[in-house]
Amino acid sequence: GNDHIYIGGTVHILPASEFPLPKEFAIAYKKSDSIVLETKLPDATDTDFQVKMMQKMAYGNGKTISDFLSVSTQQQLSSYIASLGADLMMFERFKPGFLVTMLAMLEAQRAQLSGEGVDIFYSKKAVQDKKNIEYFETADFQMNMIAEMGQGNEDKFIQSNLEQMNDFKTMFIGLLKAWREGDTRQLNKLAIEPMKEDPKTLKALLTDRNQNWIKDIDKMFTDNDREFVLVGVANCVGRNCLLYPSDAA
């Protein structure tokens, strides 16, 4: 009918130089009654959550990531972590999904590209402006998703991600440029195409979640609020994405 919502693709790590955000974000936010985020970000002072997360993301029974890697991949991982000024022993108890997430954060810091993303920016702004905030997923759901990434396929998962890390700065700068310009073809090339080597992760991280979110978005048209949905830009491009759920965008 006459109802509509806004959907914005976000970048979860954003350097300060990328602010202010594209004007379309400010327009959508101003015209919306509430915002919808992927999940509620835990408070940095929530020690119980931090302990729970570490328990979920780490191997038990004395196992380490090296137990699941070939000698060659283990050596590559060790060398790469050494290039970051760290030692494999600092990370070896982490499961592959969390390990790769940590390495990406370190790469962003090394490239001076780290900072609070779009989601955190609007989460804080909505609190300040007393706008309603809704969430698609729980923090537990996201923890489980990351903890399960790469399990059963550790060697290939680590190898594939190490290859992408080799050119992280160029890739990330290209992604930021494509994001600001709304270049869906380039975003698909940078964010989606590399994931096709790992169909299981692509399905869990993007396709399945998109299908769940579409059901929730449909329900938003039955209320009186106007929502501004903010989700990772990778969920908004490519085949079966949030904007084109049955098409190759």
Side-chain angles (χ1 to χ4, degrees), residues 72-136:
S72 174
T73 303
Q74 183 183 346
Q75 289 173 344
Q76 291 176 47
L77 179 62
S78 182
S79 296
Y80 172 74
I81 291 176
S83 76
L84 295 172
D87 189 283
L88 178 59
M89 288 182 64
M90 297 171 60
F91 300 92
E92 64 181 0
R93 289 191 62 242
F94 294 139
K95 295 175 182 177
F98 189 67
L99 172 58
V100 166
T101 301
M102 293 288 288
L103 295 180
M105 296 290 289
L106 289 173
E107 271 290 4
Q109 291 174 13
R110 178 162 71 170
Q112 297 183 321
L113 292 170
S114 63
E116 290 188 344
V118 179
D119 316 73
I120 295 178
F121 174 81
Y122 275 111
S123 178
K124 289 181 176 179
K125 186 167 177 58
V127 170
Q128 180 182 336
D129 297 338
K130 294 181 171 56
K131 280 199 180 191
N132 185 46
I133 307 177
E134 300 168 21
Y135 305 97
F136 283 125

Side-chain angles (χ1 to χ4, degrees), residues 7-9 11 18 22 24-25 174-188 233 236-238 243-244 249:
I7 298 180
V11 181
E18 288 295 325
E24 290 84 357
F25 280 87
L175 188 145
L176 290 176
K177 182 175 184 292
W179 166 71
R180 292 196 78 94
E181 295 174 354
D183 186 342
T184 55
R185 288 183 181 274
Q186 185 68 359
L187 285 167
N188 182 65
V233 70
C236 301
V237 296
L243 303 182
Y244 304 94

Side-chain angles (χ1 to χ4, degrees), residues 133-149:
I133 307 177
E134 300 168 21
Y135 305 97
F136 283 125
E137 299 166 347
T138 64
D140 281 347
F141 175 91
Q142 289 210 345
M143 271 199 302
N144 288 329
M145 179 180 66
I146 294 171
E148 291 170 7
M149 280 171 55

Side-chain angles (χ1 to χ4, degrees), residues 185 187-198 202 238:
R185 288 183 181 274
L187 285 167
N188 182 65
K189 178 182 177 181
L190 294 172
I192 308 300
E193 289 298 326
M195 294 183 65
K196 289 184 177 179
E197 294 182 13
D198 186 358
L202 178 63

